[in-house]
Amino acid sequence: MAKIFAYGIRDDEQPALNAWREANPGVTVEFTDQLLTPETAKLAAGFDAVNVYQQLDYTRETLAALHEAGITKMSLRNVGTDNIDFDAAREFGFQISNVPVYSPNAIAEHSMIQMSRLLRRTKELDAKIAKHDLRWAPTIGREMRMQTIGIIGTGHIGRVAMKIAQGFGAKVIAYDLYKNAEIEAAGLYVDTLDELFAQADVISLYVPGVPANHHLINADSIAKMKDGVVIVNVSRGNLMDIDAVIAGLDSGKIADFSMDVYEEEVGLFNIDWSGKTFPDDKIADLISRENVLVTPHTAFYTTKAVEEMVSQSLSADLAFINGEVPSIAVEY
């Protein structure tokens, strides 16, 4: 009988895990709410594969501990693989999978909701209403259909975001090194990022946090944007030079900003800081601003997405155990 051990299982993931387990009665699935570390790796001893989701790095030490426990098959319940020591993974012969497409709509919808909230200044209005100030002026909004929205990255998520924006009647332009044939045929691509920066009233990011994209949004790129630009980032924190963004907000070059990810989010996001000293002055400053929306890496967090992340990753584990290569295996 195949045996899978899952790490970091949250309460909201347990229904999907139990449903998969019931649909695969020949497989034993046990789990813990603890994350995978060199110390917890021993919990997987006697199992055939592990299933994981965490912001902690999969270091050489962690992978070595799994290897010593007899594990060389690991399925991630998420997209990102940039926190894996692939040199160590190769050395220890690991087979790894991720879940590259679980619900593009979840992330695309979040980005467009936050974009529309910025344009309609809902954070300011909510604060006024909470104080029983029910006057309209001067909190006037803008219409989505009047904006040129620049989409950087036209993969699964970016394409859903484009359709949502077009549904509002907005003009959409896009940039991607790897062009989508349908979008290209529609004439929506610009040739360079500089063109997108110069034309877009709103810029939204849907690209991976690979080294080539590090600090894609920086002082130089912001200088090329329209005055009063709106920026939305639901992709990866390292796409933004946050100091440059703060400077842009201070100068008014950036009118509004929404972020769901942060370069230094590990150890900060997904923790209750109420009643404690908040450890990051930059995020505290951004949260305090009327024209900034901060969410703690929650764009993915919907019931459908969680179900897909759990079920697809467990099925990939089982495929590895059965000597198969799942379609979501990571090539490295």
Side-chain angles (χ1 to χ4, degrees):
M1 177 180 287
K3 298 177 68 177
I4 301 169
F5 191 83
Y7 286 90
I9 292 291
R10 307 182 304 269
D11 289 347
D12 58 83
E13 293 177 306
Q14 289 186 32
L17 185 148
N18 289 333
W20 189 92
R21 188 158 48 185
E22 290 173 10
N24 295 271
V27 184
T28 296
V29 181
E30 296 186 16
F31 63 89
T32 178
D33 61 356
Q34 296 181 72
L35 299 179
L36 172 62
T37 66
E39 293 71 35
T40 60
K42 62 180 179 292
L43 297 174
F47 287 79
D48 302 305
V50 294
N51 188 283
V52 293
Y53 178 92
Q54 62 193 54
Q55 293 175 311
L56 296 178
D57 289 341
Y58 302 97
T59 62
R60 170 175 289 275
E61 187 181 7
T62 296
L63 296 176
L66 274 181
H67 185 261
E68 290 171 11
I71 302 293
T72 57
K73 297 171 176 58
M74 181 170 72
S75 186
L76 280 60
R77 301 193 299 278
N78 58 282
V79 179
T81 59
D82 50 315
N83 57 344
I84 300 173
D85 185 333
F86 280 114
D87 289 336
R90 275 188 287 268
E91 179 182 334
F92 298 125
F94 269 86
Q95 293 177 290
I96 299 172
S97 69
N98 65 345
V99 185
V101 182
Y102 43 86
S103 179
N105 292 69
I107 298 167
E109 285 179 10
H110 185 79
S111 67
M112 290 294 119
I113 288 167
Q114 296 297 79
M115 185 184 297
S116 61
R117 288 185 66 207
L118 290 173
L119 292 171
R120 298 308 295 261
R121 300 174 69 179
T122 59
K123 185 176 181 179
E124 296 169 74
L125 283 166
D126 288 346
K128 286 173 65 173
I129 291 167
K131 295 185 293 185
H132 295 171
D133 180 354
L134 304 187
R135 293 173 295 175
W136 310 331
T139 319
I140 191 168
R142 288 170 283 171
E143 296 180 32
M144 184 90 83
R145 69 186 178 93
M146 303 302 294
Q147 312 307 309
T148 295
I149 297 176
I151 301 293
I152 302 178
T154 55
H156 294 285
I157 300 168
R159 293 200 299 274
V160 173
M162 292 177 74
K163 290 179 180 178
I164 295 172
Q166 289 169 328
F168 276 96
K171 177 182 178 181
V172 175
I173 59 175
Y175 176 81
D176 200 317
L177 284 174
Y178 307 98
K179 291 181 170 59
N180 173 273
E182 183 179 343
I183 294 171
E184 190 166 27
L188 300 180
Y189 282 116
V190 293
D191 293 327
T192 67
L193 272 175
D194 284 356
E195 290 179 66
L196 185 142
F197 292 149
Q199 296 178 36
D201 301 302
V202 185
I203 295 171
S204 198
L205 305 169
Y206 306 96
V207 292
V210 296
N213 292 333
H214 183 74
H215 287 186
L216 181 68
I217 304 301
N218 54 54
D220 289 339
S221 60
I222 291 169
K224 297 172 182 176
M225 297 176 190
K226 283 187 173 184
D227 292 342
V229 68
V230 176
I231 300 176
V232 177
N233 182 21
V234 296
S235 294
R236 286 291 181 265
N238 71 331
L239 302 178
M240 317 288 299
D241 178 344
I242 203 66
D243 291 322
V245 171
I246 290 172
L249 288 162
D250 287 341
S251 70
K253 180 71 175 183
I254 301 173
D256 303 277
F257 175 52
S258 173
M259 55 176 282
D260 185 59
V261 286
Y262 180 46
E263 194 166 8
E264 306 297 330
E265 69 183 53
V266 175
L268 178 69
F269 285 3
N270 203 27
I271 294 174
D272 182 1
W273 293 103
S274 56
K276 304 174 187 175
T277 301
F278 195 75
D280 193 303
D281 292 340
K282 294 175 185 177
I283 296 299
D285 169 53
L286 290 167
I287 289 172
S288 71
R289 297 181 185 234
E290 288 185 330
N291 59 339
V292 176
L293 297 174
V294 176
T295 48
H297 209 137
T298 57
F300 83 97
Y301 195 45
T302 67
T303 53
K304 175 61 176 175
V306 168
E307 177 187 340
E308 288 295 327
M309 293 162 87
V310 171
S311 62
Q312 287 189 42
S313 61
L314 287 171
S315 293
D317 270 326
L318 183 57
F320 281 141
I321 293 168
N322 290 335
E324 303 166 359
V325 178
S327 61
I328 56 176
V330 175
E331 296 181 8
Y332 66 96

